[in-house]
Amino acid sequence: LPTETKMMPIWHTNSIFCSKSHEEVLNSSNLGDPEACFELGLRIYSSTRKKKEIKNAISYIEKAAAAGYPEAQLWVAEHYESGKYYPKNYRQSYLWCKKAADQNQPRAQYFLSLLYIAGRGVIEDSTQSAHWCQISAAVCLQHICVCKPAITTDVTPNSLSNKSKSVWKKPEYLLFGTM
């Protein structure tokens, strides 16, 4: 793969704190609520480009990720993959993404399928890639349109009496875009 290609960021928040005031989110965050920490981190992050404030925002997001909040884990994974705010580290990207995917976070499951098919941070494995993409698609219908063209049915005379076998192909359009 060309070194200049990057995974497309796929995280975003569906937080219940989106409708809460800054004070309410800050109070919940100070009480250790990981979802509030993530929301607060995103609010700070999106409102500034000052290095010190971005570091503060990332500290809230990392606190949420360490506490097991899957949206924050996915954010950290995506940023390790892109090299934005963290040194580019595909293995760390995979590890954080796997934590979120194991908690049934569908965008993390889809991102994990991309890491497996590209062999980023993990040994390339088309079977695992198809597995995670199908799990994601089952939960999040928006991914079916992306996953379905990449899955074909291998039909041979010998396979007609057996279940047909899904074969995962590696289309470049599925994997990479620009940031």
Side-chain angles (χ1 to χ4, degrees):
L1 297 171
T3 56
E4 68 277 356
T5 58
K6 296 179 181 175
M7 294 280 211
M8 294 174 62
I10 57 176
W11 62 270
H12 69 280
T13 183
N14 294 321
S15 174
I16 62 168
F17 287 96
C18 287
S19 63
K20 303 287 183 183
S21 72
H22 183 75
E23 270 188 30
E24 290 172 304
V25 174
L26 183 60
N27 289 338
S28 294
S29 175
N30 289 336
L31 294 173
D33 184 311
E35 187 175 355
C37 287
F38 182 61
E39 177 65 27
L40 183 59
L42 288 182
R43 287 181 182 191
I44 296 168
Y45 173 82
S46 64
S47 68
T48 187
R49 291 297 165 241
K50 294 180 182 176
K51 199 171 193 173
K52 185 177 179 180
E53 291 176 12
I54 288 173
K55 284 179 102 174
N56 185 36
I58 291 171
S59 71
Y60 280 106
I61 294 168
E62 288 173 339
K63 183 177 176 182
Y69 187 61
E71 292 281 344
Q73 291 169 334
L74 179 58
W75 189 96
V76 171
E78 195 278 329
H79 284 78
Y80 268 119
E81 195 282 330
S82 72
K84 188 173 185 176
Y85 305 120
Y86 296 108
K88 187 174 277 205
N89 186 323
Y90 295 139
R91 184 66 184 165
Q92 282 297 314
S93 178
Y94 165 79
L95 293 172
W96 281 106
C97 187
K98 181 80 166 73
K99 289 177 183 187
D102 285 343
Q103 294 183 72
N104 297 317
Q105 208 301 335
R107 290 181 313 281
Q109 293 166 337
Y110 177 68
F111 188 50
L112 188 60
S113 78
L114 299 180
L115 294 174
Y116 270 111
I117 199 68
R120 288 191 170 179
V122 66
I123 294 172
E124 188 174 323
D125 187 333
S126 60
T127 303
Q128 282 294 313
S129 178
H131 167 77
W132 284 106
C133 189
Q134 288 170 353
I135 289 172
S136 172
V139 176
C140 192
L141 295 177
Q142 68 192 17
H143 294 306
I144 288 176
C145 296
V146 177
C147 296
K148 192 174 179 180
I151 300 172
T152 63
T153 303
D154 181 23
V155 180
T156 64
N158 294 335
S159 69
L160 291 176
S161 59
N162 301 328
K163 283 185 173 180
S164 57
K165 181 181 176 185
S166 289
V167 179
W168 183 254
K169 295 187 178 182
K170 187 178 178 180
E172 292 300 319
Y173 72 87
L174 175 68
L175 296 176
F176 303 102
T178 57
M179 301 271 307

